[in-house]
Amino acid sequence: MLRLDRTGGAAPGNKVFKLRGFLDRARREGVATLVSFGGAWSNHLHALAALGAEQGFDTVGIVRGEPREAATPMIEDARRAGMRIIRLSRAEYRRRNEADFQRELLAGLAPCLLIPEGGASAEGALGCGSIAEEVRRIAPGGARVVLPVGTGTTLAGVAARLDPRFDVVGISALKGAFDLEGRVAGLLSALEPAGAAPWRILHDFHCGGFARVTSELRDFMLAFEALNDIDIEPVYTGKMLFAIDRLLREGRWDGERPVLAIHTGGLQGRRGYPWLDGDATRPRTGS
Ligand SMILES: *Cc1c(COP(=O)(O)O)cnc(C)c1O
């Protein structure tokens, strides 16, 4: 397992790789304010708040959900790091990629750099290339590299910097996100890598949808954490490991080929799932 959850300082996990290029650009262009979008449990906004504070940027998080909805621990952390939180109704949030709407939203914040939701961009994928360098160091002879997928940005960046001794398998955290393959292909062609590893995305391990949990996933995660001294969370890393376990157990994967799982972090989101820490009574809210 490549433990990105143990690297990245203030922002452990994959988000620091996706954000690096944007932070560098803001510095180059002398822009002091970084703005992005996300849900109330967003690992992306959590990382942006932490990195912005560390590197002297002002940050603004535009968060899905009415202002009257309770702040999640993610939002509280982000505010504590100095991020200004603007909440949008779900209807408004759906318009976040419309040019007119963005102009209105950003009018009061300019000059600022708007980072796409989840860091989804060629710039974000490029930064994930250094994850591939770590993969090569751990598995110089090649391996099946498995990682969780949200926007596909990390997968594209990793596959672009590997070669055919590797095959990259993404486990989609979303239900029915069949546009992901097209997005990854688009990012890969923007990066124009000299070579790349073959890659694919499996769509059967969403366990009911984004941030949802089934009893099978829950049982698997509790057993995994009891056996290994490794924290995971249900949105991304739990589903990835659940998929690996299933595929090997059912003989659908050749057990001889080494498997390298990438732990992409996201552990701040564990707080939305108190059953992971032995509390069966408090349900997750605000997702
Ligand atoms: C954001 C995130 C992902 C998904 O990364 P993409 O580049 O959007 O595919 C995977 N794992 C964790 C823990 C994340 O926070």
Side-chain angles (χ1 to χ4, degrees):
M1 181 180 281
L2 170 55
R3 299 286 304 274
L4 300 182
D5 61 312
R6 292 195 304 199
T7 66
N14 65 336
K15 297 301 185 282
V16 62
F17 297 92
K18 296 205 282 183
L19 286 168
R20 192 176 284 157
F22 291 100
L23 291 157
D24 289 345
R25 170 139 65 98
R27 232 184 318 272
R28 257 193 333 269
E29 296 178 357
V31 176
T33 306
L34 304 169
V35 184
S36 198
F37 298 102
W41 286 94
S42 168
N43 294 327
H44 165 70
L45 290 181
H46 197 261
L48 179 62
L51 292 169
E54 188 182 75
Q55 301 184 26
F57 291 100
D58 293 330
T59 55
V60 181
I62 302 175
V63 178
R64 182 181 56 233
E66 315 281 347
R68 60 183 155 73
E69 289 177 35
T72 57
M74 188 294 282
I75 293 175
E76 285 165 6
D77 285 352
R79 283 199 174 119
R80 213 171 294 127
M83 179 175 262
R84 178 173 157 205
I85 300 289
I86 299 174
R87 301 209 73 168
L88 295 183
S89 69
R90 281 164 180 75
E92 288 173 316
Y93 195 82
R94 271 192 291 277
R95 299 183 55 206
R96 68 194 175 281
N97 295 323
E98 293 173 16
D100 286 355
F101 188 67
Q102 283 191 358
R103 211 169 304 123
E104 250 171 74
L105 261 181
L106 300 182
L109 304 172
C112 62
L113 178 66
L114 180 64
I115 301 172
E117 186 178 30
S121 58
E123 205 155 359
L126 196 63
C128 294
S130 20
I131 301 173
E133 300 314 313
E134 283 297 298
V135 168
R136 285 177 185 283
R137 199 179 51 76
I138 297 174
R144 173 169 285 148
V145 177
V146 190
L147 75 167
V149 167
T151 63
T153 311
T154 307
L155 185 151
V158 169
R161 289 273 286 274
L162 292 175
D163 60 67
R165 290 170 307 153
F166 297 87
D167 63 298
V168 180
V169 182
I171 309 300
S172 177
L174 298 121
K175 183 175 175 175
F178 300 117
D179 60 340
L180 275 171
E181 281 81 358
R183 287 166 186 257
V184 171
L187 289 168
L188 276 166
S189 61
L191 294 185
E192 297 182 334
W199 58 272
R200 66 205 147 99
I201 295 172
L202 304 183
H203 294 274
D204 298 331
F205 297 97
H206 55 75
C207 301
F210 188 70
R212 301 282 175 91
V213 179
T214 57
S215 56
E216 280 171 303
L217 176 64
R218 177 196 300 232
D219 292 348
F220 169 78
M221 288 183 61
L222 291 170
F224 178 91
E225 289 196 346
L227 275 172
N228 302 282
D229 190 17
I230 300 172
D231 281 355
I232 52 178
E233 47 66 56
V235 182
Y236 294 105
T237 50
K239 288 176 187 178
M240 166 188 67
L241 291 164
F242 178 68
I244 294 172
D245 183 69
R246 271 296 163 88
L247 292 162
L248 287 171
R249 216 180 271 279
E250 292 173 2
R252 290 200 271 158
W253 275 2
D254 159 18
E256 300 295 306
R257 180 141 169 85
V259 172
L260 175 63
I262 304 183
H263 190 318
T264 43
L267 294 177
Q268 66 90 19
R270 271 178 74 91
R271 296 172 296 180
Y273 300 90
W275 51 265
L276 274 167
D277 296 302
D279 183 345
T281 57
R282 284 185 295 136
R284 172 174 175 159
T285 54
S287 91

